[in-house]
Amino acid sequence: VNGSRAVAIVTDYSDGGDCTVTLDLKAVGLPATVTAKDFETGDSLASSGGVVRFPLKKHDFKAILFE
């Protein structure tokens, strides 16, 4: 977190599945209009108000950039 961006790392140590990540926008100082991107690919992720949902494969991870 640097005041305008935050990174969340999500991991799966099980069988994979659908993930929901909820970022506490107030705690990290980001606006409700924050967007989410896959940190590795730069692809946009569907998000609303700091909540992002995506599938995660077995034993995989995703780095999410909120800005």
Side-chain angles (χ1 to χ4, degrees):
V1 176
N2 72 1
S4 63
R5 300 189 301 175
V7 174
I9 308 296
V10 182
T11 61
D12 177 82
Y13 292 105
S14 187
D15 294 322
D18 294 326
C19 293
T20 300
V21 175
T22 303
L23 186 68
D24 185 339
L25 298 175
K26 186 175 180 180
V28 296
L30 293 175
T33 57
V34 70
T35 60
K37 293 182 182 178
D38 183 305
F39 192 81
E40 290 185 295
T41 67
D43 293 340
S44 293
L45 299 171
S47 64
S48 177
V51 178
V52 61
R53 294 177 178 86
F54 53 89
L56 191 62
K57 295 178 184 177
K58 180 178 182 174
H59 298 173
D60 203 358
F61 76 96
K62 185 175 289 289
I64 305 166
L65 174 63
F66 292 93
E67 57 184 356

